[in-house]
Amino acid sequence: MTAQQPADPSPEVTIVARLRELTGTEIGRVHTLSPGRHVLGRGSECSIVLTAPGVSRRHAELEVTADDFVITDLGSKNGIHVNEKRLFGQTSVVHGTQFRIGQLVLEVLHPGSRVRQALREAGEFTSTRVTVTELDRRDGELPGLTWPLIATGVFFAVTLWLIFA
């Protein structure tokens, strides 16, 4: 009789984002997006090739993280419309958001973005984790953090002085 291996108590869960085409010639087609940057357009060099009228060669860039989905217009002629408003620059969107590129309507499917949305609605701040490696250290100090730390200390001291003065 062989002993059974216990189940892994913390299985690795990979959260992926997806993009679903809601209009056009390929309605229902789903694009799986790993974390990172993805370029949308009709050009063959794009990571997601879209064949619909009004789509530029390099139309938009998507940046996907575990809890965020950012759309950036790459200077396209017809632009990007999120909730029927023209996007200038970039914006963060959440699960279920629909946006239009040319005549093609796409839907964001990213459950992880719901966490960030719920925190925003609750008035909570989110933080970005920064990892400092040994290569980032120079002579025992953290580069780029010295002045922000000094400024924070000065701000704290002035605030205390104003409160108790």
Side-chain angles (χ1 to χ4, degrees):
M1 183 184 281
T2 57
Q4 288 184 335
Q5 294 289 334
D8 184 1
S10 58
E12 186 175 318
V13 176
T14 304
I15 297 176
V16 294
R18 294 177 314 229
L19 201 58
R20 179 171 39 207
E21 295 185 28
L22 299 179
T23 62
T25 58
E26 301 197 46
I27 293 175
R29 180 169 72 156
V30 175
H31 306 275
T32 300
L33 304 171
S34 59
R37 295 176 189 258
H38 306 273
V39 176
L40 278 70
R42 61 181 166 79
S44 60
E45 72 281 358
C46 294
S47 51
I48 299 175
V49 178
L50 302 172
T51 55
V55 176
S56 298
R57 281 189 205 130
R58 289 179 40 89
H59 201 109
E61 180 180 78
L62 307 177
E63 184 175 358
V64 179
T65 64
D67 64 350
D68 204 8
F69 194 104
V70 177
I71 302 173
T72 304
D73 188 347
L74 296 177
S76 62
K77 179 181 174 185
N78 295 315
I80 300 171
H81 293 80
V82 179
N83 298 325
E84 296 307 317
K85 293 181 184 173
R86 175 90 187 241
L87 170 66
F88 294 96
Q90 68 180 27
T91 190
S92 181
V93 295
V94 297
H95 181 81
T97 300
Q98 295 181 8
F99 63 97
R100 183 168 45 87
I101 292 181
Q103 294 180 13
L104 185 63
V105 177
L106 301 155
E107 180 182 26
V108 173
L109 304 171
H110 188 19
S113 66
R114 289 180 176 175
V115 173
R116 185 176 289 251
Q117 179 186 20
L119 288 171
R120 278 190 206 132
E121 289 173 0
E124 295 291 330
F125 293 101
T126 58
S127 62
T128 302
R129 183 176 22 184
V130 177
T131 305
V132 179
T133 64
E134 289 301 317
L135 296 176
D136 293 331
R137 297 177 189 270
R138 291 186 206 125
D139 299 324
E141 75 177 64
L142 301 177
L145 292 179
T146 304
W147 288 110
L149 289 172
I150 290 171
T152 302
V154 169
F155 176 77
F156 183 69
V158 169
T159 302
L160 288 176
W161 180 75
L162 290 172
I163 291 171
F164 295 110

